[in-house]
Amino acid sequence: MTFTLPALPFAPDALAPHMSAETFEFHHGKHHKAYIDNGNKLLEGSDLAKKSLEEIVIAAAKDPAKIGLFNNAAQHWNHSFFWNCLKPKGGGASLPGKLKTAIEKDLGGFDKFKTDFVQTCVTQFGSGWGWLVMDNATGKLELMKTANAGVPFTGGKTPLLTCDVWEHAYYIDYRNARPKFVEAFVDHMANWEFAESLMAKGPMKVAA
């Protein structure tokens, strides 16, 4: 397949003041686009060229010779997913019912979830991602972090929500205050309905 830059699911200024149009100009228009351009170059002539993005990510993750392709393909997947995890006037403690119930059951309720999610994101050393995931074997919700381009679905976890903690995700608006950015994500930008819809679909199934 050929990677293409997806349109944002909202106007670039729709999340202001929590995330500015300038951030999207660089994050979506330059960083995400660079992963796509580099990934397409690495995919040319590859035996993976006709696979889906998820299949490319999983296959490349298993082959040390394809680390460059993995990094760019996984970052394309992560960013495409992240845009859908954002919502104008999102976030806050008013969660849709099934997600709220699952968070109460598996993660100790919203307040504990928020504290632990922020901590998960803040303690990811260097670049990476903080995640709300569903374990494919148990169906339970969990929090996890991945470094650099890491994706949960290479390890039997279904992504439900993510916060990008690479510096380019927040430096224009928050400088080095990663905790403030993650708190703003949970309080004002998280798309809980998107997370619930993925939870309802059940475990993510991708064949390499």
Side-chain angles (χ1 to χ4, degrees), residues 1 3 43 48 51-63 66 69-78 149-154 204 206-208:
M1 67 174 296
F3 302 153
L43 204 55
L48 299 176
K51 300 284 189 179
S52 71
L53 176 57
E54 291 82 3
E55 289 169 338
I56 291 168
V57 170
I58 289 180
K62 296 176 180 178
D63 185 351
K66 290 185 170 65
L69 177 58
F70 169 78
N71 285 337
N72 286 281
Q75 281 292 78
H76 173 33
W77 193 95
N78 286 345
V151 293
F153 63 81
T154 58
M204 183 176 179
V206 183

Side-chain angles (χ1 to χ4, degrees), residues 90 116 119 121 138 145 153 155 170 174 181 186 189 191:
D116 292 347
Q119 183 71 1
C121 293
T138 66
K145 51 194 171 187
F153 63 81
Y170 58 87
Y174 297 88
F181 165 66
V186 176
M189 295 183 280
N191 189 340

Side-chain angles (χ1 to χ4, degrees), residues 123-176:
T123 56
Q124 167 51 43
F125 183 77
S127 301
W129 303 79
W131 303 86
L132 171 65
V133 301
M134 178 172 59
D135 182 79
N136 291 352
T138 66
K140 291 185 177 180
L141 302 193
E142 300 174 356
L143 299 178
M144 66 177 292
K145 51 194 171 187
T146 59
N148 300 317
V151 293
F153 63 81
T154 58
K157 310 291 183 181
T158 294
L160 303 180
L161 193 79
T162 193
C163 184
D164 186 345
V165 292
W166 283 64
E167 282 192 342
H168 63 238
Y170 58 87
Y171 209 83
I172 289 172
D173 298 322
Y174 297 88
R175 295 299 186 257
N176 63 333

